[in-house]
Amino acid sequence: MNHTEIEMIERNDLENGQRATKHMKNICQRNLRIRPDRKPRKGLIPFRWISFGLTLFFPASATIAALIGADPMDSYNVVWTTPSEDSSGSMPIGNGDIGLNVWVEKSGDLLFYIGKTDAWDEHSRLLKLGRVRVRLSPNPFQANHYFRQELRLRQGEIRIVAGKTNEPVQIRVWVDANQPLVRVEAECEQEFSLSTDLELWRKEVRPLTGAEVHGVDGFTKNQPPFSYPDVIVTDRKAQLVWYHRNQLSLWPATLRHQGLEARIDSGSDPLLNRTFGGVIEGEGLSKTGPVSLRSVEPRKRFELRIPVLAEKTETVDEWLQQMDSLQGKIEAAPIEKAREEHLGWWSAFWDRSWVRIRRVDGEALVKSGFRDETREIMEGYVLQRFINACGGRGRYPIKFNGTIFTVDTVKELDPDFRRWGGCYWFQNTRLPYWPMLASGDFDLMQPLFRMYRDALDLAKARTALYHNHGGAFFPETMYFWGAYANGELGFGWERENEPLGRPANTYIRYYWSGGLELAAMMLDYYAFTRDDSFLTSTLLPIAKPVIEFYDKHYPREPTGEILFVPSQALETWRDCENPMPVVAGLRVVLSGLLSLPASRTDAGDRVAWTRLQSALPAIPVRSVDGKALLAPAENFKNRQNSENPELYAVFPYRLFGVGKPDLELARRSFMSREFKGNRGWQQDDTQAALLGLVDSARGYVSGRFSEKHPGSRFPAFWGPNFDWVPDQSHGGNGVMALQSMLLQWDGNRIFLFPAWPEEWDVDFKLRAPGNTFVEASFRNGKVSLLKVSPPERAGDVIDFSSLKNESN
């Protein structure tokens, strides 16, 4: 493909990918502000006047940040100067396991939903724990009073300042980064009263109906799933205590339906007796009803403490005892120390890595009434990482379809609803996790790896039962304990014409390649961290049986070459021979396993891996109009979705890309792809970046981060796209694509600025394999700073910005 062809198609990609959108915040509010970190004292100038004074006496330029010592993170804080209408105007905050959707309504009430990563109900729905309403008197949120709600990213908190300018109320809402605890602090120079109410909507046993049923299995073929009531504990003085306890479970019915009933006696039901809930308490508050607390008398400061707990216990009393123990630990730690450690966690998180970009002509564009896309890109990148941190350190992986921040977006549906229900789709789930490698967010990756490690025994037993051979496969769609969904999204209730083990759902019938991609991600994780404990406890225990499955499951040609039949290429091509995701995935994983130190692997395994590697078919290629293109499979038919399986050779498997052979073949295939898009799980932006297609990558990334959910106020609540709000596939793809424009790797080689636009200046710090840090600055089309640690890795860096690239 010549330069003119690429330029024409890339220009079209750029125009289609970019979508104009107005800035949602005033630049002065976002970049020029001084806020009180302590409660205001009489005689001080109100802080909003100080902010105004700065804009009056100092020029509106980047130097102001230096003059007032502003943290670069502050420019991405989300600031609202008016209350919200309802939960669609909520702002997220969390500690990795517990998440809040916080908003203030015009009526004067502060509200928040509480979510948790392991609040699985009887039918394996991920529920909210409840809603809390806080009311102050006198009401500081009434009309014509000052109001400012700010998400402070560096501090991991929401700060609300409201009321009369000379005596505002300050409210701080945060979820302790190191404890399962929600804190709400309110203070003012003048005394005020506070009341709080717990609001629950699960009050009776009722069948789910209509859209609620989507993705949720009942216990039998003809029985609908149900919602079950929460329980309020009434015998606690000065405390509101509530919980949800699973007295029924989908788990045994699922195993029986899928022929795995032998696992019931040897396994542990992950749903039965799971109990989750919380306690609301605070000094100076008394109980006025089963779900209400009121201040005994007006005070200048109140603090609400809400410890949250989810555990499997034999009895309710055991759960209550564990909650009492948790409260004791919380009360023993001074809030000042807890807050210091909380701030330390968040500061360390933001210092792990960063990306800060701006257009060279950005200020001129804005002054001329045009959009500076880099502002939206940076906002989206930073806020998506924040959402990952808020919901990514719990017991289970981030739910692609809303994480722990779903609300009643559709008014007929409660906040427990999410399209596609409680199962994990690997195709979607993986996308927030790939960019965590370059971000250095290795702790956030553990729940994903742990879920599949915990599901491995079931996967092995299922493989032996269904296919009568060794190894293990993971379904594309599975519950967190590893089983298929029972209904139409998975195994299927209608089994009359299906042999044992064959799912009725043709979208995922032979879709097992997620195990290969998981192994590839784990190999990259090991390449980045050199964590030998992870290698022996997680990577090899998963990768070995996944490879064994492919080795034993498929027939060989007379030549000895393996033939992957029956198979499919993702969800899109239902009937295939040698699909690209399988062939490319095996090539990458086998090469990665064989590159591991021989001392860390078994000699017999290495012989088997080498033998399978030599039996793999060639990368599928087809001819279209006389031009060679990567193919979805060697043979393929019966399309049923809209993915581009052929480009899995680019991402996630990176067999083709900048600095690698046959780049033109891969670029030509990308330009000729049947399905184009940059929303949800579509990954055109990352593939464009890996191929060094600068304009395509820029346009798609810009377009992705401008695609916000129109019904949500928070600027990083994407979706619903193909899934639900906030769509984590969408945000994860954007983060990964931007990183791939800046930095790529191939073995020991590190590619610097492989797809970076000349008109974007940038500073970044990202991770690379071998425990390597790369920090660089790019100014006016040239690298102005490069720091590599350890220093000996500097010789492995290739600066693509200094090379003439056909796509530029």
Side-chain angles (χ1 to χ4, degrees), residues 310-528:
E311 291 291 345
K312 278 187 61 184
T313 59
E314 289 299 320
T315 65
V316 171
D317 284 343
E318 184 182 345
W319 183 84
L320 291 170
Q321 290 169 6
Q322 291 187 21
M323 176 61 83
D324 290 341
S325 177
L326 173 61
Q327 287 180 271
K329 293 177 182 178
I330 290 169
E331 292 169 1
I335 186 173
E336 294 79 8
K337 186 175 187 299
R339 177 160 176 75
E340 180 183 354
E341 293 174 349
H342 170 86
L343 293 173
W345 189 91
W346 277 104
S347 184
F349 172 78
W350 293 117
D351 289 343
R352 292 174 183 175
S353 65
W354 62 78
V355 177
R356 298 165 189 150
I357 64 176
R358 64 174 185 174
R359 281 189 68 113
V360 176
D361 58 350
E363 290 185 11
L365 276 175
V366 173
K367 288 180 179 178
S368 301
F370 293 97
R371 166 178 169 249
D372 175 5
E373 74 274 24
T374 62
R375 179 67 206 184
E376 274 184 331
I377 292 170
M378 276 311 309
E379 180 181 66
Y381 180 91
V382 170
L383 294 181
Q384 182 58 48
R385 273 199 74 213
F386 170 75
I387 290 175
N388 290 348
C390 287
R393 291 196 297 151
R395 291 183 180 174
Y396 298 100
I398 295 167
K399 282 293 282 144
F400 67 94
N401 49 349
T403 182
I404 49 175
F405 296 113
T406 56
V407 298
D408 40 347
T409 302
V410 178
K411 297 311 173 186
E412 294 77 19
L413 301 169
D414 66 33
D416 295 329
F417 174 80
R418 63 185 75 227
R419 189 188 295 164
W420 305 112
C423 280
Y424 287 89
W425 272 249
F426 187 81
Q427 163 80 345
N428 309 67
T429 300
R430 67 199 173 109
L431 293 168
Y433 287 97
W434 275 110
M436 291 179 186
L437 293 166
S439 297
D441 297 333
F442 304 128
D443 52 340
L444 274 63
M445 301 183 77
Q446 301 313 309
L448 177 70
F449 298 152
R450 184 169 56 243
M451 180 178 74
Y452 281 93
R453 182 66 179 87
D454 290 347
L456 182 60
D457 286 347
L458 179 64
K460 290 179 177 179
R462 176 176 50 222
T463 301
L465 176 66
Y466 292 176
H467 304 299
N468 199 31
H469 61 68
F473 75 90
F474 295 105
E476 163 62 11
T477 303
M478 74 179 207
Y479 285 113
F480 69 84
W481 65 84
Y484 282 103
N486 291 319
E488 63 180 359
L489 299 181
F491 206 67
W493 289 115
E494 301 292 341
R495 302 293 306 165
E496 289 80 3
N497 299 317
E498 299 293 352
L500 177 66
R502 190 173 80 170
N505 181 3
T506 60
Y507 283 82
I508 63 166
R509 177 170 287 169
Y510 304 117
Y511 191 169
W512 304 317
S513 57
L516 291 172
E517 186 174 346
L518 177 67
M521 184 186 294
M522 289 180 169
L523 284 164
D524 275 358
Y525 178 93
Y526 179 71
F528 272 70

Side-chain angles (χ1 to χ4, degrees), residues 585-629:
L586 280 167
R587 285 180 176 273
V588 167
V589 173
L590 287 167
S591 176
L593 290 172
L594 288 168
S595 70
L596 294 172
S599 61
R600 297 286 179 179
T601 54
D602 180 81
D605 290 333
R606 298 182 74 87
V607 170
W609 297 338
T610 302
R611 183 178 62 248
L612 178 58
Q613 189 180 49
S614 66
L616 292 178
I619 291 292
V621 177
R622 57 177 171 157
S623 178
V624 177
D625 297 330
K627 296 181 179 180
L629 300 175

Side-chain angles (χ1 to χ4, degrees), residues 95 98 174-176 179-183 305-308 330:
N95 70 348
I98 301 164
W174 52 295
V175 188
D176 195 310
Q179 302 181 91
L181 176 65
V182 177
R183 292 189 190 266
R305 294 184 300 274
I306 310 177
V308 175
I330 290 169

Side-chain angles (χ1 to χ4, degrees), residues 744-762:
Q744 298 175 27
W745 62 91
D746 179 43
N748 289 326
R749 297 188 300 166
I750 301 171
F751 300 156
L752 188 65
F753 301 117
W756 197 251
E758 290 187 358
E759 61 270 26
W760 288 1
D761 287 351
V762 66

Side-chain angles (χ1 to χ4, degrees), residues 122 202-208 225-230 248:
E122 297 84 347
R202 296 182 297 267
K203 297 181 179 181
E204 60 186 2
V205 177
R206 68 169 185 87
L208 301 183
F226 285 80
S227 174
Y228 299 89
D230 300 324
L248 298 170

Side-chain angles (χ1 to χ4, degrees), residues 380 384 431-432 435 680 704-705 718 727-736:
Q384 182 58 48
L431 293 168
R704 180 179 293 274
F705 281 130
W718 328 103
D727 178 1
Q728 297 308 285
S729 301
H730 186 94
N733 258 322
V735 171
M736 176 169 48

Side-chain angles (χ1 to χ4, degrees), residues 35-280:
R35 301 170 308 281
D37 288 326
R38 298 188 179 94
K39 61 185 180 182
R41 299 190 300 274
K42 290 182 179 179
L44 293 182
I45 301 172
F47 65 90
R48 69 166 178 170
W49 297 353
I50 296 175
S51 181
F52 176 77
L54 279 169
T55 64
L56 181 64
F57 293 112
F58 292 104
S61 70
T63 59
I64 293 179
L67 287 169
I68 63 177
D71 186 331
M73 289 301 304
D74 285 355
S75 63
Y76 305 109
N77 289 353
V78 178
V79 178
W80 296 336
T81 56
T82 59
S84 296
E85 294 290 338
D86 50 34
S87 63
S88 64
S90 66
M91 183 179 280
I93 195 74
N95 70 348
D97 179 40
I98 301 164
L100 309 182
N101 293 79
V102 181
W103 73 101
V104 176
E105 294 187 348
K106 293 178 180 179
S107 63
D109 294 347
L110 166 68
L111 300 99
F112 52 89
Y113 284 118
I114 304 175
K116 200 171 187 302
T117 63
D118 52 356
W120 302 103
D121 80 348
E122 297 84 347
H123 294 273
S124 200
R125 293 192 303 157
L126 190 62
L127 302 185
K128 294 290 189 184
L129 275 67
R131 184 170 71 181
V132 177
R133 182 182 298 268
V134 180
R135 183 175 292 117
L136 308 182
S137 179
N139 176 16
F141 305 125
Q142 59 187 289
N144 301 321
H145 279 191
Y146 179 81
F147 180 87
R148 180 185 179 90
Q149 178 177 337
E150 179 176 13
L151 173 61
R152 305 179 75 210
L153 296 166
R154 173 71 69 175
Q155 293 78 13
E157 68 180 22
I158 292 173
R159 176 75 66 85
I160 302 167
V161 181
K164 298 178 181 178
T165 54
N166 62 337
E167 48 188 40
V169 173
Q170 295 191 60
I171 302 172
R172 177 187 289 147
V173 183
W174 52 295
V175 188
D176 195 310
N178 304 294
Q179 302 181 91
L181 176 65
V182 177
R183 292 189 190 266
V184 180
E185 302 172 71
E187 59 183 323
C188 182
E189 282 294 309
Q190 303 299 317
E191 292 184 341
F192 62 98
S193 298
L194 180 145
S195 64
T196 185
D197 295 283
L198 170 66
E199 299 180 346
L200 305 174
W201 52 94
R202 296 182 297 267
K203 297 181 179 181
E204 60 186 2
V205 177
R206 68 169 185 87
L208 301 183
T209 60
E212 288 183 305
V213 179
H214 190 256
V216 185
D217 285 330
F219 296 145
T220 65
K221 172 182 175 181
N222 297 314
Q223 183 187 61
F226 285 80
S227 174
Y228 299 89
D230 300 324
V231 177
I232 298 169
V233 178
T234 58
D235 61 354
R236 297 293 183 103
K237 294 182 179 180
Q239 291 182 338
L240 306 182
V241 183
W242 82 103
Y243 62 84
H244 185 100
R245 181 171 174 83
N246 296 342
Q247 297 182 0
L248 298 170
S249 170
L250 180 67
W251 181 76
T254 298
L255 295 186
R256 290 190 187 97
H257 178 59
Q258 297 178 23
L260 298 165
E261 58 272 8
R263 299 286 301 175
I264 294 176
D265 291 337
S266 61
S268 175
D269 191 324
L271 298 176
L272 189 66
N273 296 330
R274 182 177 291 268
T275 308
F276 45 89
V279 174
I280 305 175

